[in-house]
Amino acid sequence: MTLASTRSTRSTGSNLPHALAAFGWDEAWATEFAPYAAEGLLPGRVVRVDRGQCDVMTEDGVIRADTAFVTPHDPLRVICTGDWAAVEATGNPRYVKAYLPRRTAFVRSTSSQRSEGQILAANVDHAIIAVSLAGELDLGRIERFLALAWESGAQPLIVLTKTDLVPDPATLAYLVQDVETTAPGVQVLTVSSHTGEGTDVLAAVVGDGTSVLLGVSGAGKSTLANALLGADVMDVQATREVDGKGRHTTTTRNLLALPGGGVLIDTPGLRGVGLFDAEAGVVQVFSEIEDYAASCRFHDCAHEAEPGCAVQAAVEDGTLPERRLESYRKLLRENQRIVAKTDARLRAEIRRDWRVKSAEGRANYAAKRGGRP
């Protein structure tokens, strides 16, 4: 098929541009794009964004485009890696005129005091959470990543990297079990880019759809990306022996087509994993607590000291680790604070609940003192 004939069929969506099929283009995207095709715009997938411009993979190859037309005040609506864009067919510079509605979006809160959200990647099917076994496992951080992944709409997958540094099979089995307990319903893979162990299984999982690599610096993301790409595309830096941490090898989010099929977005190491309106994601991470809560005597049980609390009963008999319950409470509180900063009604509800609990506390204290204030 010639380039001209490909362009003639793009507007009808009857055929897929071959160059874009490898990047996830399908009939559904073609249908969404039809109005823009009628305007003579080109479809393309954003492979990188920096400084108000982006690289877009189109059927003509990668083009550099300006994002001035799609830079709203809302940081969650700025164009990002993984978006499907409508780009001008000609011009210098070319401009992205719009992007298609996102199927999924991976969002975290920024470190700013305004509690804004930051979109990390769009239209992702698999969220690969890379966790290094070079240091001590941080189960709380894994839970945070999982909450953001579930909230995004993508399917999370945990990859324990650098398994060659844990030569004892029994120790490795215990580590995997800890992570599986932390991530109910999530597949956990063990991978060593050094020996090649597990990379074939991971390649099969990510061979269909778009995957994003997430994790802190030193988790082995870039090494893992190179293993999946079959080439040293991403720079790799050594990890400090003192604490197992690494420097930021990847400084931008890059989208790459995998040789075995599928698309991979590599991201910089995340220092902070702040939640942003991710209550549904938190609930999914702690699904076993929600299951226990369904058997509590009171439907609004806070799982603290209420009679007939099934959650506390599970903690007491060792079925539910207390660490999980504390982490669940912590993440829900954090998420509520973030949402409350932008939701006046929720702020009022929190203040009202606080006043009620304060009054109850004072009444209980007075009762213990024999009615004396």
Side-chain angles (χ1 to χ4, degrees):
M1 179 181 287
T2 65
L3 182 60
S5 62
T6 300
R7 284 177 175 166
S8 67
T9 59
R10 183 179 61 241
S11 61
T12 65
S14 59
N15 290 297
L16 300 179
H18 180 271
L20 295 183
F23 285 84
W25 185 258
D26 57 28
E27 292 289 354
W29 287 123
T31 300
E32 290 269 7
F33 191 81
Y36 299 107
E39 297 176 13
L41 299 174
L42 292 176
R45 192 156 197 196
V46 178
V47 299
R48 175 180 172 140
V49 179
D50 62 276
R51 298 176 183 175
Q53 293 187 316
C54 62
D55 294 336
V56 184
M57 173 59 72
T58 71
E59 57 187 342
D60 295 333
V62 177
I63 63 173
R64 189 75 168 164
D66 196 293
T67 65
F69 283 100
V70 286
T71 308
H73 295 297
D74 184 351
L76 295 181
R77 297 179 62 191
V78 299
I79 199 162
C80 74
T81 303
D83 274 325
W84 283 101
V87 189
E88 290 179 325
T90 60
N92 186 21
R94 295 192 189 185
Y95 287 92
V96 174
K97 303 307 292 269
Y99 62 84
L100 299 183
R102 294 160 178 159
R103 294 178 181 175
T104 62
F106 197 97
V107 179
R108 69 163 178 174
S109 69
T110 65
S111 58
S112 71
Q113 296 301 312
R114 293 182 294 177
S115 301
E116 294 177 337
Q118 177 190 20
I119 182 164
L120 300 178
N123 302 313
V124 172
D125 301 293
H126 309 284
I128 305 171
I129 302 168
V131 180
S132 172
L133 294 181
E136 186 175 352
L137 283 177
D138 187 336
L139 299 179
R141 180 179 286 126
I142 293 175
E143 289 163 344
R144 285 176 172 274
F145 273 116
L146 286 171
L148 296 182
W150 282 121
E151 189 69 31
S152 75
Q155 172 66 46
L157 168 70
I158 297 177
V159 176
L160 302 180
T161 66
K162 307 181 183 181
T163 56
D164 52 289
L165 300 180
V166 187
D168 179 37
T171 301
L172 180 59
Y174 281 125
L175 292 173
V176 172
Q177 184 178 22
D178 283 344
V179 175
E180 288 177 338
T181 301
T182 301
V186 177
Q187 185 176 8
V188 179
L189 297 179
T190 54
V191 172
S192 170
S193 300
H194 179 69
T195 65
E197 174 200 350
T199 55
D200 55 340
V201 178
L202 179 59
V205 172
V206 302
D208 181 27
T210 298
S211 302
V212 61
L213 263 175
L214 305 162
V216 299
S217 297
K221 297 188 305 301
S222 295
T223 303
L224 198 58
N226 287 336
L228 293 172
L229 291 163
D232 291 337
V233 176
M234 310 304 296
D235 292 333
V236 177
Q237 295 180 351
T239 302
R240 297 196 299 258
E241 294 183 1
V242 175
D243 53 12
K245 296 181 179 179
R247 290 174 289 175
H248 289 284
T249 300
T250 305
T251 56
T252 58
R253 290 176 282 280
N254 303 284
L255 184 147
L256 305 158
L258 297 173
V263 178
L264 181 70
I265 299 176
D266 192 20
T267 65
L270 300 177
R271 291 189 180 92
V273 194
L275 303 184
F276 185 81
D277 197 6
E279 181 176 352
V282 173
V283 169
Q284 183 69 41
V285 174
F286 299 92
S287 57
E288 81 277 29
I289 296 179
E290 293 293 315
D291 291 339
Y292 288 128
S295 299
C296 289
R297 181 183 302 176
F298 304 107
H299 70 87
D300 58 348
C301 182
H303 318 310
E304 293 177 350
E306 297 86 349
C309 176
V311 174
Q312 284 293 343
V315 172
E316 291 170 4
D317 66 18
T319 307
L320 175 66
E322 188 171 3
R323 187 205 67 81
R324 287 279 287 170
L325 180 57
E326 290 302 318
S327 183
Y328 171 70
R329 289 169 172 162
K330 178 181 179 181
L331 292 185
L332 281 181
R333 287 195 301 268
E334 176 184 324
N335 187 73
Q336 188 180 51
R337 286 196 299 270
I338 293 294
V339 175
K341 289 183 179 180
T342 57
D343 188 326
R345 185 174 61 180
L346 181 58
R347 286 199 302 271
E349 291 177 355
I350 291 174
R351 285 195 295 268
R352 185 166 56 251
D353 290 343
W354 181 82
R355 285 195 296 267
V356 169
K357 289 182 179 179
S358 296
E360 291 176 348
R362 288 193 298 270
N364 291 336
Y365 179 72
K368 290 179 179 179
R369 291 172 56 87
R372 296 191 304 274

